[in-house]
Amino acid sequence: MEKFDIHILGCGSALPTTRHQATSQVINIREKLFMIDCGEGTQVQLRRSRLRFNRLNHIFISHLHGDHCFGLIGLISTFGMLERTADLHIHCHPDLEKLMAPQLDFFCKGMTYQVFFHPFNPGEQTVIYDDRSVSVETIPLRHRMPTCGFLFKEKPTPNHIIREMIDFYQIPICMINRIKNGEDYVTNDGTVIPNSRLTIPSDPPRMYAYCSDTCYLPRIVPQIQGVDLLFHEATFANTEAVRAKQTFHSTAAQAALIAREAQVKKLLIGHFSARYEDESILLKEASEIFPHTMLAEENLKISL
Amino acid sequence: MEKFDIHILGCGSALPTTRHQATSQVINIREKLFMIDCGEGTQVQLRRSRLRFNRLNHIFISHLHGDHCFGLIGLISTFGMLERTADLHIHCHPDLEKLMAPQLDFFCKGMTYQVFFHPFNPGEQTVIYDDRSVSVETIPLRHRMPTCGFLFKEKPTPNHIIREMIDFYQIPICMINRIKNGEDYVTNDGTVIPNSRLTIPSDPPRMYAYCSDTCYLPRIVPQIQGVDLLFHEATFANTEAVRAKQTFHSTAAQAALIAREAQVKKLLIGHFSARYEDESILLKEASEIFPHTMLAEENLKISL
């Protein structure tokens, strides 16, 4: 199966601790890397992950709080020192380009590569990236400022051909791609060999949904229905439910309610408040509602 | 003896590694904290040091390369979330305030404390800070952009009174401070008791010089003559002497030459290039010229 890995670089929340890094993740889809959010210290975590920097061409920023974007300038500047040549694309709220422009002009003058900003409106559900392997669409969320999550949808892969059947019917090589993509084969004497005899269906396309930061927001359920993995913020435990509401964050239990409602396969919770020395209480509260729950942690890799 | 501690928060150079943090140090002088430089990740290192954030009121930035200042915005923003109330003073090149203004306006709106920038000209040797415990003066350096080091000079402390002599001459309490500060005592019958009979001299004031980043620059020797500790960058080993010159950095041997010439008590080298997996070669090359050399490392504390 082709790669679809989630690498957690950081899963802390606004106040940094020595236990957790600021938010950042890298999604590896078929050896293309996509970064989501880029808190302070992300570049060192990226180095630690041993992922190849030059495979990373797209960064998606969920919202403009510092713990989700203060690491960008360091990352961009380091890529410059490493003499990167490929363009780097940053998908973000329109304000970020204006905010970063003076720093980019000053600190990143004369770099060997270019940075492009692709603004989007986080309040609107839109496809903001699309290639032949994957599309990325925004998941509008509700937080203290315009915020969205991201839904990564793999494109279907061609069916696998059954080599023995190809040989048996002496099917010419030029037909192979069409058969992979679902066509039947017609022999010289006019017999139709149905595609299902020649191929094994490929694995169903996989989906990953990233939702951080947000208050409890059941309206996202239809959009993330059935995803293979849902990352949902779980800043607080039940005891802090009032504070969660006030600060437009979620409790672990609320994350689990969303996961259950959306019938996702697995739930990964993160964005832990600095107050929790150990997050087992969050895991417990979420698991009671949705058993397939995991705690995020730095340097964790999940393969879908 | 009163505190004069150097805490190394980070001693790597421009390219971050998993072995070293970006440059930052905290000087603790009599429980007042002074930060020098603030690379990305400094706030987490500061937390790790367990130094008390609210004792830090002054930050000195040596020059505007990212590895010396990208951590400022995160630190300032975190202080805001912690509801700091004391003013924070940043001493730096005039350009930094302009560069940070848009980010401060956006990310740090409505903070409970104020940030003040105190611009100085790094090309000129000047006292940029002065209180009753310490003064800080710039050490103009030569790098690829305007850069200076900082010389921390402790103020002399009053002499220690000899309690027995005070009792013996029945010296009134109101005179004690004047005697501590060097006055003789005149008894009622006009006899002069010289100060040296009443006090023990206090420890000589201590000095710390921080020199990063710079090419080999013997003209700084008179200014740092005899300091208790010299931090000097040692980005490269002898094999990279040409590259050191080209990039306006120093080799470990050059740092040691400066230390020897200035007859400093101890030399601490840092700002290590990412190419050195282990810095023992730098220590060896420096120690051959100046034996009292130490390697900087994260979380190291040196008490003067």
Side-chain angles (χ1 to χ4, degrees):
Chain A
M1 194 140 72
E2 297 204 76
K3 241 178 216 176
F4 195 139
D5 295 342
I6 319 307
H7 295 258
I8 305 298
L9 304 188
C11 58
S13 62
L15 270 184
T17 66
T18 52
R19 298 185 306 284
H20 288 298
Q21 300 288 326
T23 300
S24 184
Q25 303 187 358
V26 172
I27 320 302
N28 181 347
I29 298 179
R30 306 181 193 174
E31 299 302 346
K32 280 185 220 164
L33 305 183
F34 302 89
M35 181 176 279
I36 303 176
D37 287 339
C38 186
E40 186 177 351
T42 293
Q43 60 167 328
V44 173
Q45 283 297 93
L46 182 60
R47 204 171 270 273
R48 193 163 276 140
S49 74
R50 298 179 171 273
L51 291 162
R52 289 177 60 186
F53 289 14
N54 59 0
R55 294 268 164 93
L56 174 62
N57 297 318
H58 292 271
I59 302 179
F60 300 87
I61 301 294
S62 66
H63 67 300
L64 303 187
H65 274 155
D67 57 321
H68 293 255
C69 62
F70 282 168
L72 271 175
I73 184 74
L75 187 76
I76 291 169
S77 154
T78 293
F79 283 174
M81 286 187 274
L82 295 174
E83 300 186 345
R84 176 191 177 100
T85 52
D87 296 339
L88 182 68
H89 301 276
I90 302 181
H91 306 262
C92 56
H93 187 283
D95 283 346
L96 187 59
E97 180 168 9
K98 278 174 271 173
L99 283 167
M100 292 197 69
Q103 299 213 343
L104 287 174
D105 286 349
F106 187 89
F107 292 110
C108 304
K109 243 183 328 215
M111 287 198 313
T112 46
Y113 76 103
Q114 280 193 281
V115 178
F116 294 96
F117 288 85
H118 302 272
F120 62 77
N121 171 5
E124 205 179 281
Q125 181 182 326
T126 351
V127 174
I128 55 174
Y129 177 84
D130 189 74
D131 67 20
R132 62 202 182 94
S133 314
V134 65
S135 70
V136 181
E137 66 184 50
T138 51
I139 306 169
L141 299 173
R142 194 182 297 150
H143 191 44
R144 300 193 304 276
M145 59 159 51
T147 300
C148 69
F150 302 105
L151 179 62
F152 285 72
K153 285 183 179 173
E154 189 183 27
K155 298 281 176 73
T157 47
N159 291 340
H160 305 289
I161 51 166
I162 305 173
R163 177 58 58 193
E164 293 74 18
M165 300 305 277
I166 302 297
D167 292 346
F168 181 81
Y169 292 107
Q170 295 183 306
I171 298 175
I173 292 182
C174 61
M175 285 298 297
I176 300 288
N177 267 336
R178 290 159 65 178
I179 290 171
K180 278 188 182 176
N181 287 316
E183 279 191 29
D184 297 333
Y185 180 63
V186 184
T187 60
N188 288 341
D189 63 6
T191 316
V192 175
I193 317 294
N195 189 274
S196 61
R197 290 201 62 187
L198 304 171
T199 64
I200 300 167
S202 62
D203 302 303
R206 293 160 289 181
M207 289 191 282
Y208 172 60
Y210 168 90
C211 297
S212 170
D213 306 7
T214 186
C215 65
Y216 175 59
L217 196 63
R219 72 153 152 74
I220 65 173
V221 165
Q223 195 186 354
I224 63 172
Q225 194 71 35
V227 297
D228 296 84
L229 181 67
L230 166 63
F231 175 91
H232 197 289
E233 74 127 296
T235 309
F236 296 110
N238 281 334
T239 50
E240 303 292 326
V242 173
R243 180 148 180 81
K245 197 165 185 182
Q246 284 166 347
T247 57
F248 291 80
H249 282 297
S250 300
T251 63
Q254 289 169 337
L257 285 173
I258 297 289
R260 189 175 68 185
E261 199 63 25
Q263 299 179 291
V264 309
K265 299 214 179 77
K266 278 185 197 162
L267 169 64
L268 178 67
I269 55 175
H271 202 268
F272 307 123
S273 162
R275 76 194 65 206
Y276 302 108
E277 284 281 331
D278 117 51
E279 293 89 13
S280 54
I281 177 73
L282 302 172
L283 181 61
K284 184 170 173 288
E285 291 179 1
S287 300
E288 279 166 8
I289 294 165
F290 187 79
H292 300 298
T293 302
M294 287 175 297
L295 286 175
E297 65 176 306
E298 281 66 20
N299 314 314
L300 176 71
K301 179 181 101 172
I302 299 180
S303 300
L304 301 188
Chain B
M1 195 139 73
E2 295 202 79
K3 239 178 218 177
F4 195 138
D5 295 342
I6 319 306
H7 295 258
I8 306 297
L9 303 188
C11 58
S13 61
L15 271 184
T17 65
T18 51
R19 299 185 306 282
H20 289 298
Q21 300 287 326
T23 300
S24 184
Q25 304 187 357
V26 172
I27 320 302
N28 181 346
I29 299 178
R30 306 180 193 174
E31 299 302 347
K32 280 186 221 162
L33 305 183
F34 302 89
M35 181 176 279
I36 304 176
D37 287 339
C38 187
E40 186 176 351
T42 292
Q43 60 167 329
V44 173
Q45 284 296 93
L46 183 61
R47 204 170 270 271
R48 192 162 278 140
S49 74
R50 297 180 171 274
L51 290 162
R52 290 178 59 187
F53 290 13
N54 59 1
R55 294 270 162 91
L56 174 62
N57 298 317
H58 293 271
I59 302 179
F60 300 88
I61 301 294
S62 66
H63 67 299
L64 302 187
H65 274 155
D67 56 322
H68 294 254
C69 63
F70 281 168
L72 271 174
I73 184 73
L75 186 78
I76 291 169
S77 154
T78 293
F79 283 173
M81 286 186 275
L82 295 173
E83 300 186 347
R84 176 191 177 101
T85 52
D87 296 339
L88 182 67
H89 301 276
I90 302 181
H91 306 262
C92 55
H93 188 283
D95 284 347
L96 187 60
E97 181 168 9
K98 279 174 274 173
L99 283 167
M100 292 197 68
Q103 299 213 343
L104 288 173
D105 286 350
F106 187 91
F107 292 109
C108 304
K109 244 184 326 217
M111 288 199 312
T112 47
Y113 77 103
Q114 280 193 281
V115 177
F116 293 95
F117 287 85
H118 302 273
F120 62 77
N121 171 5
E124 205 178 281
Q125 180 182 327
T126 350
V127 173
I128 54 173
Y129 177 84
D130 189 76
D131 68 19
R132 63 203 181 91
S133 314
V134 64
S135 70
V136 181
E137 65 184 51
T138 51
I139 307 170
L141 298 173
R142 195 180 297 150
H143 191 44
R144 298 193 305 276
M145 60 159 51
T147 300
C148 69
F150 301 106
L151 180 62
F152 284 72
K153 284 183 178 172
E154 190 182 27
K155 297 281 176 75
T157 47
N159 292 339
H160 306 289
I161 51 163
I162 306 173
R163 175 60 55 193
E164 294 72 18
M165 300 305 277
I166 302 298
D167 292 348
F168 180 81
Y169 291 107
Q170 297 185 306
I171 298 174
I173 292 182
C174 61
M175 284 297 297
I176 299 288
N177 266 334
R178 290 159 65 178
I179 289 170
K180 278 189 181 175
N181 287 315
E183 278 190 31
D184 297 333
Y185 179 63
V186 185
T187 60
N188 289 341
D189 63 6
T191 315
V192 175
I193 317 294
N195 189 274
S196 61
R197 291 202 61 185
L198 303 171
T199 64
I200 300 167
S202 62
D203 302 304
R206 293 160 290 182
M207 289 190 284
Y208 172 59
Y210 168 90
C211 296
S212 171
D213 306 5
T214 187
C215 64
Y216 175 58
L217 196 63
R219 73 153 153 74
I220 66 173
V221 165
Q223 195 187 354
I224 63 172
Q225 195 69 36
V227 297
D228 296 85
L229 181 66
L230 166 64
F231 175 91
H232 198 288
E233 73 128 294
T235 309
F236 295 111
N238 282 334
T239 49
E240 302 292 326
V242 172
R243 180 149 179 81
K245 198 166 184 183
Q246 283 165 347
T247 57
F248 290 81
H249 281 298
S250 300
T251 63
Q254 289 169 336
L257 285 172
I258 298 288
R260 189 173 69 185
E261 198 63 25
Q263 300 181 287
V264 309
K265 299 213 178 77
K266 276 184 199 163
L267 169 65
L268 178 66
I269 55 174
H271 202 268
F272 307 122
S273 162
R275 75 194 65 206
Y276 302 108
E277 284 282 333
D278 118 49
E279 293 89 14
S280 55
I281 178 71
L282 302 172
L283 181 61
K284 186 170 171 287
E285 291 180 359
S287 300
E288 279 166 8
I289 293 165
F290 187 79
H292 300 298
T293 303
M294 287 175 297
L295 286 175
E297 64 177 307
E298 280 68 19
N299 314 314
L300 175 71
K301 180 182 101 173
I302 299 180
S303 300
L304 301 189

